[in-house]
């Protein structure tokens, strides 16, 4: 399986990082070695002093497809979960300044903790799903799919032009504002519509 992620999909987050609003989705990949499951702890890597949390809704692909048209995109995902797109911001900023790929700042080992998945049929309106991240019991990030620049179907369609999507692939759909550094001992709890999806510790 592969993990595909969307950057700059929430206006307030684009602003906080002083990035430009994109005309098309900004896409990057993480290898399967980035995946962390079952609330396993996240170990801070020694190559960064500024690892940020980015809470994101994650879609799971349910069948193979490429060049998927937007109107049929909904047939390719039927489950949703919640994850963190951990980002070594200091490294990323350095690479961005040089115009180099961010890969190592985004796709390193354990950089993609993901919760269990639930059927999308549980949700009445995919364009109004709220999610939250609490760090040490304090609300740090709040998002809602209605704030997305590119919705689920647009993302699936766009990504599938370049990468054939396969069953089991995961799509991180972008983070809302409020990203900040994590520290040893922090507890991260993620919620979709008030229901807890993950709960793990930084070590
Ligand atoms: Mg992200």
């Amino acid at each position: 399986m592969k993990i595909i992620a969307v950057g700059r999909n929430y206006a307030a987050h684009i602003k906080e990082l002083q990035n430009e609003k994109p005309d098309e989705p900004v896409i990057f990949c993480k290898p399967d070695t980035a995946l962390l499951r079952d609330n396993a702890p996240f170990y801070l890597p020694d190559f960064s002093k500024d690892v940020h949390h980015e809470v994101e809704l994650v879609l799971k692909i349910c069948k193979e497809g490429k060049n998927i048209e937007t109107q049929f995109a909904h047939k390719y995902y039927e489950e949703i979960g919640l994850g963190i797109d951990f980002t070594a911001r200091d490294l990323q900023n350095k690479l961005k300044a040089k115009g180099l790929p961010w890969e190592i700042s985004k796709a390193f080992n354990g950089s993609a903790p993901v919760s269990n998945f639930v059927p999308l049929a549980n949700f009445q309106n995919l364009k109004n799903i709220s999610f939250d991240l609490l760090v040490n019991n304090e609300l740090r990030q709040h998002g809602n799919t209605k704030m997305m620049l590119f919705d689920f179907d647009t993302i699936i369609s766009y990504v599938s032009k370049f990468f054939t999507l396969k069953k089991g692939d995961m799509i991180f759909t972008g983070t809302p504002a409020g990203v900040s550094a994590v520290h040893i001992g922090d507890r991260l709890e993620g919620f979709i519509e008030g229901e807890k999806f993950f709960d793990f510790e930084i070590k």
Side-chain angles (χ1 to χ4, degrees):
M1 59 78 66
K2 58 186 173 293
I3 300 166
I4 295 165
V6 182
R8 305 181 190 174
N9 203 20
Y10 287 82
H13 172 62
I14 294 170
K15 217 168 165 188
E16 73 181 344
L17 294 188
Q18 295 175 314
N19 283 320
E20 268 177 45
K21 203 165 151 181
D23 299 325
E24 290 182 317
V26 176
I27 304 296
F28 56 95
C29 294
K30 298 187 185 228
D32 57 3
T33 44
L35 197 60
L36 267 191
R37 300 302 302 266
D38 304 321
N39 290 320
F42 172 77
Y43 287 85
L44 276 178
D46 59 8
F47 52 74
S48 173
K49 291 194 163 39
D50 196 26
V51 174
H52 282 196
H53 55 74
E54 294 189 358
V55 71
E56 308 195 7
L57 291 170
V58 183
L59 301 175
K60 195 195 263 184
I61 299 298
C62 62
K63 68 171 179 176
E64 188 168 319
K66 60 176 168 182
N67 293 317
I68 301 163
E69 285 181 48
T70 312
Q71 57 179 318
F72 301 120
H74 66 275
K75 297 179 182 215
Y76 291 82
Y77 58 95
E78 43 194 33
E79 289 183 302
I80 193 167
L82 195 64
I84 299 277
D85 165 23
F86 275 122
T87 305
R89 195 71 70 199
D90 44 359
L91 206 50
Q92 187 194 31
N93 287 340
K94 215 188 286 179
L95 292 163
K96 267 165 74 177
K98 290 183 187 166
L100 294 170
W102 320 324
E103 218 72 4
I104 56 171
S105 71
K106 280 281 196 184
F108 56 87
N109 290 334
S111 61
V114 176
S115 71
N116 287 332
F117 287 81
V118 297
L120 274 165
N122 292 0
F123 300 88
Q124 283 189 334
N125 181 0
L126 301 192
K127 292 187 195 266
N128 187 9
I129 299 176
S130 73
F131 57 104
D132 299 286
L133 175 71
L134 268 62
V135 178
N136 302 328
N137 273 321
E138 203 175 282
L139 181 65
R140 282 280 186 85
Q141 288 191 267
H142 169 72
N144 188 300
T145 51
K146 68 183 172 200
M147 293 154 32
M148 291 176 128
L149 300 180
F150 303 104
D151 66 11
F152 293 158
D153 291 345
T154 305
I155 293 168
I156 297 288
S157 173
Y158 184 78
V159 165
S160 75
K161 284 199 231 181
F162 306 96
F163 307 113
T164 298
L165 295 174
K166 290 188 167 179
K167 191 176 174 179
D169 288 349
M170 295 178 191
I171 315 274
F172 277 65
T173 59
T175 198
V179 302
S180 64
V182 292
H183 304 95
I184 290 173
D186 283 349
R187 179 182 180 190
L188 274 61
E189 295 168 276
F191 299 81
I192 301 178
E193 294 285 332
E195 190 188 319
K196 192 184 274 193
F197 272 69
F198 64 68
D199 185 348
F200 66 92
E201 206 183 317
I202 307 295
K203 289 199 170 179

